[in-house]
Amino acid sequence: MTKILIIEDEPFIRENLEDILSLEGFETLAATDGLVGIQLAQQALPDLIICDIMMPYGDGYDVITALREVPQTEAIPFIFLTAKADRASLRQGMTLGADDYLTKPFTPQEVLESVRARLRKATAQTQLYQSQIHHLSTELEFHRAHDALTGLPNRVALAACFQTLITRIRGTQQHLALLYFTFDQLASIRAALGSDLSVALVQQIGQRLTAASQGGGMAYISDHQFAMVMGPSPTLSQAQTWAEAVAQVFDAPITLEDHNLFLIPKIGVAIYPQDGVSFDTLLLEAEMAATGLPEQGDRPVSFYSTDLHQQVKYRFSMEADLHHALDRQEFQIYYQPQIDLKTQTLAGAEALMRWFHPVRGNISPAHFIPIAEATDLMVPIGEWVLRTACEQVQRWPHYPTNALISVNLSPRQFAAPDLRETITQVLAQTGLPPHRLELEITETVLMQDTSLAQHLLRDLKDSGIHIAIDDFGVGYSSFQYLSQFALSTLKIDRCFVHHLASRPKNQTLVAAMIQMAHDLGLKVVAEGVETEADLACLQSIECDIVQGYWYSPPLSAEAFEQGYAATPSATRQSLR
Ligand code: C2E
Ligand code: CA
Ligand code: CA
């Protein structure tokens, strides 16, 4: 019921007002002077106040001044009642915040009209205020749960989504999978794309993940990290199968303007409730699982397990052992032949490191190179590879004089300030002519400091050294971008070459890559050729050189010499 406070010292007027208002269904309260009026207003918080001006113990101006100073009573509609209708006192009341004036004597109609008008206005104001508050809090809630730049849900939103799902499946046997995604190439791709396209790229990743979440949700966590809650799933194995399948979401490239971006995520998975019950724990476990994955490995999905702690310990001990591996001569270089498809002769060999650990045996470079790269070890190890490979070529008596030796250069090596000097020194010391050396770098290297890379590559190429772009197709892969650099060779990543013969889409793509590379004056090497069918396919689309198990796996220096560098000329049969 609407409550109206009447503050009036003259009993007749006060009672008259009470009658008028209660007859209309209002609840009335009455005060006989200003002081009582203020107290009553503060206690009862009426919906409207009608107040006389001339009263004992605090006049009407004192009342309105006191009430307008306190937030709770500040906005209560206030109508003055006065016999004084001179302009000055009207102005004074309005200045203090009165909403209307009623002059005595008044008719019931005048009172009710004024009261209703004030109440209507107050209601409208309250509604407006409430809708503004509602709007603001919705907005704040959105900001709290979304990334400001991309508008994608953030960690807070995903935690809430997880809680909702947990509540829904509590007491059942259902499972949720929490997935953590990291895209190693994303930081450098974004640097190359610029901010607008970067936002669009992240949004597209977000859309793909959302679509794959099987009713769960996704979050954009930071620069190159995403997370997803999948499920609920009725069985553990179903949750695992879903998580395994998520990697396929990135099989197709993301297209932005004229860029086709192939992204390879590393995915870590933790399952509720078997691996943990809290969102934070599961996310941490999923992240740990992803961290253990090798760089661009064949299996991009890794499940959390309790022995993951063991794996982290293993990594630390491997790092310690890596420090001594050079001194202890535990490294070797294997050589994988590269075959010229037109002439069927040896075009070159790629030097690939092997680490024969005294206890752990043969450790894959895919495992130890990232560790070396994360520490300062990569630079001295890389220099050793370069020197040893150059020396080796000089020692093979029948290695064709036009065949190259390809050496991988990691991003850290490329960024080392004395790289140019090291290369000059190694070539001088081993006597290998610069035009027989090829350095393989990845696009990531180019993106780190474009102008520095441009100068260095130009300088190297001018000296006769060949520069190959390794693992092309995975990541940024823009020909326009490549044309800015002095390059000689494009190595198409083996993920495009694998099963090429049975994948028409990849054939079109690889054919286009070859065509464009040729237009830029680059030679093309296809990596990972394993079957005759894939080889034939590459031949038909004019690939220049192939490398892969079909001809030979990487071989020790001795085995390579026997197979490829022992006789002056090799026929196709002998190459196979
Ligand atoms: P990468 O440079 O892409 O080298 C090609 C990898 O593909 C080699 O793996 C090679 O053994 C493998 N491979 C060759 N033919 C086939 C095939 O037909 N099928 C399949 N499935 N794989 C094939 P590997 O030797 O294990 O080396 C892995 C990666 O480690 C290399 O990839 C390279 O990134 C890195 N790496 C190896 N040696 C060095 C090095 O001396 N310096 C640096 N910076 N990185 C190195
Ligand atoms: Ca390589
Ligand atoms: Ca490669």
Side-chain angles (χ1 to χ4, degrees):
M1 202 188 232
T2 309
K3 222 187 299 176
I4 298 178
L5 170 63
I6 300 156
I7 311 174
E8 169 62 74
D9 60 325
E10 286 175 55
F12 171 73
I13 300 179
R14 194 173 60 236
E15 282 155 21
N16 186 14
L17 275 171
E18 284 187 277
D19 289 344
I20 296 170
L21 293 168
S22 32
L23 266 174
E24 286 300 309
F26 294 107
E27 180 188 345
T28 57
L29 302 166
T32 52
D33 62 52
L35 210 57
V36 176
I38 293 170
Q39 284 166 354
L40 208 54
Q42 285 169 349
Q43 282 162 16
L45 299 176
D47 299 294
L48 185 141
I49 297 170
I50 300 176
C51 180
D52 188 20
I53 292 183
M54 305 291 283
M55 290 179 295
Y57 312 117
D59 63 15
Y61 301 131
D62 294 331
V63 174
I64 192 164
T65 307
L67 296 184
R68 291 298 185 243
E69 273 170 7
V70 185
Q72 288 90 328
T73 52
E74 190 190 2
I76 301 176
F78 198 100
I79 301 172
F80 267 133
L81 204 57
T82 180
K84 276 170 77 175
D86 62 290
R87 275 177 77 88
S89 58
L90 285 184
R91 282 258 38 92
Q92 186 182 359
M94 294 312 255
T95 310
L96 289 171
D99 297 285
D100 199 5
Y101 265 92
L102 281 173
T103 22
K104 303 182 212 176
F106 45 75
T107 64
Q109 195 186 354
E110 279 169 347
V111 173
L112 291 172
E113 273 174 6
S114 171
V115 164
R116 290 212 175 95
R118 293 303 118 206
L119 286 174
R120 256 199 314 276
K121 191 169 167 210
T123 311
Q125 264 166 352
T126 313
Q127 277 169 355
L128 180 70
Y129 183 63
Q130 275 170 351
S131 88
Q132 278 169 343
I133 293 210
H134 177 74
H135 180 72
L136 202 70
S137 41
T138 323
E139 193 117 304
L140 278 177
E141 186 49 37
F142 185 84
H143 277 288
R144 219 171 61 82
H146 292 80
D147 174 62
L149 215 56
T150 59
L152 289 175
N154 63 15
R155 191 189 165 114
V156 172
L158 194 63
C161 160
F162 176 82
Q163 280 314 330
T164 312
L165 290 172
I166 292 280
T167 318
R168 205 195 303 158
I169 67 174
R170 191 164 285 143
T172 71
Q173 299 292 311
Q174 302 196 76
H175 296 75
L176 298 176
L178 213 143
L179 288 79
Y180 166 92
F181 299 76
T182 171
F183 296 84
D184 291 334
Q185 329 114 303
L186 202 58
S188 46
I189 292 180
R190 294 180 57 175
L193 284 178
S195 58
D196 286 355
L197 281 185
S198 286
V199 167
L201 171 62
V202 169
Q203 285 167 334
Q204 286 211 27
I205 296 175
Q207 279 164 15
R208 288 204 185 176
L209 293 181
T210 307
S213 69
Q214 306 275 359
M218 63 74 59
Y220 176 43
I221 294 191
S222 80
D223 268 4
H224 52 276
Q225 298 167 313
F226 295 75
M228 183 200 263
V229 173
M230 268 187 136
S233 129
T235 61
L236 175 62
S237 66
Q238 173 75 81
Q240 287 168 334
T241 311
W242 279 349
E244 290 264 10
V246 163
Q248 290 164 14
V249 164
F250 295 97
D251 279 356
I254 290 186
T255 306
L256 284 174
E257 293 185 349
D258 55 347
H259 306 284
N260 268 335
L261 302 168
F262 286 90
L263 298 175
I264 300 187
K266 283 187 194 172
I267 307 174
V269 188
I271 305 275
Y272 169 94
Q274 68 163 34
D275 295 328
V277 292
S278 92
F279 176 77
D280 288 338
T281 308
L282 289 164
L283 189 60
L284 198 73
E285 289 171 349
E287 186 176 345
M288 266 168 90
T291 311
L293 281 166
E295 209 84 358
Q296 296 185 7
D298 281 340
R299 287 178 61 81
V301 183
S302 159
F303 287 85
Y304 174 79
S305 66
T306 37
D307 60 30
L308 214 93
H309 279 294
Q310 295 300 326
Q311 287 176 31
V312 173
K313 260 172 53 195
Y314 169 80
R315 187 191 155 105
F316 279 118
S317 80
M318 196 140 92
E319 190 178 319
D321 291 349
L322 205 52
H323 275 276
H324 306 292
L326 255 190
D327 299 342
R328 295 181 185 159
Q329 303 187 344
E330 290 168 6
F331 292 127
Q332 268 190 40
I333 299 182
Y334 272 43
Y335 299 87
Q336 189 173 31
Q338 299 178 329
I339 310 301
D340 185 315
L341 284 183
K342 277 216 180 75
T343 58
Q344 294 295 328
T345 55
L346 192 69
E350 178 174 4
L352 293 158
M353 281 190 88
R354 297 291 175 261
W355 180 13
F356 295 97
H357 189 282
V359 181
R360 299 201 173 105
N362 187 356
I363 301 176
S364 159
H367 283 118
F368 72 82
I369 297 276
I371 298 179
E373 186 65 4
T375 65
D376 282 337
L377 291 167
M378 194 61 231
V379 174
I381 293 177
E383 186 179 334
W384 176 83
V385 175
L386 181 68
R387 176 167 284 112
T388 313
C390 292
E391 279 168 3
Q392 185 59 61
V393 170
Q394 298 291 68
R395 268 195 249 117
W396 282 324
H398 297 296
Y399 193 66
T401 48
N402 60 348
L404 309 183
I405 177 74
S406 297
V407 176
N408 292 283
L409 264 198
S410 78
R412 205 180 252 263
Q413 281 174 273
F414 195 79
D418 53 357
L419 173 70
R420 185 68 187 90
E421 209 181 305
T422 306
I423 295 171
T424 312
Q425 240 179 35
V426 168
L427 291 176
Q429 287 162 359
T430 57
L432 188 80
H435 67 264
R436 302 197 58 199
L437 175 63
E438 181 160 72
L439 298 173
E440 297 192 2
I441 57 176
T442 56
E443 286 163 288
T444 320
V445 166
L446 303 182
M447 287 170 189
Q448 276 162 0
D449 187 340
T450 312
S451 72
L452 202 76
Q454 272 172 338
H455 281 106
L456 183 54
L457 293 180
R458 165 85 353 224
D459 184 24
L460 290 170
K461 200 175 178 202
D462 286 348
S463 76
I465 296 171
H466 302 253
I467 309 288
I469 289 295
D470 207 355
D471 306 332
F472 186 78
V474 172
Y476 188 60
S477 302
S478 146
F479 277 95
Q480 210 175 2
Y481 190 71
L482 288 190
S483 64
Q484 301 169 25
F485 298 94
L487 307 171
S488 8
T489 309
L490 194 76
K491 296 192 76 173
I492 297 179
D493 191 79
R494 66 186 142 99
C495 70
F496 296 96
V497 175
H498 198 57
H499 297 314
L500 186 66
S502 57
R503 292 181 176 164
K505 261 200 192 147
N506 279 14
Q507 283 171 32
T508 317
L509 200 67
V510 172
M513 285 185 194
I514 294 175
Q515 179 63 53
M516 275 197 262
H518 285 167
D519 290 347
L520 285 177
L522 304 178
K523 253 182 334 179
V524 179
V525 178
E527 296 188 290
V529 182
E530 293 183 1
T531 65
E532 194 164 17
D534 292 342
L535 179 73
C537 197
L538 286 161
Q539 216 149 11
S540 76
I541 53 179
E542 291 181 354
C543 177
D544 304 298
I545 294 169
V546 294
Q547 177 182 344
Y549 295 163
W550 171 250
Y551 280 104
S552 168
L555 301 169
S556 69
E558 299 73 43
F560 187 89
E561 179 171 357
Q562 280 168 20
Y564 295 92
T567 52
S569 68
T571 63
R572 162 131 200 239
Q573 288 314 313
S574 69
L575 285 172
R576 254 287 282 152

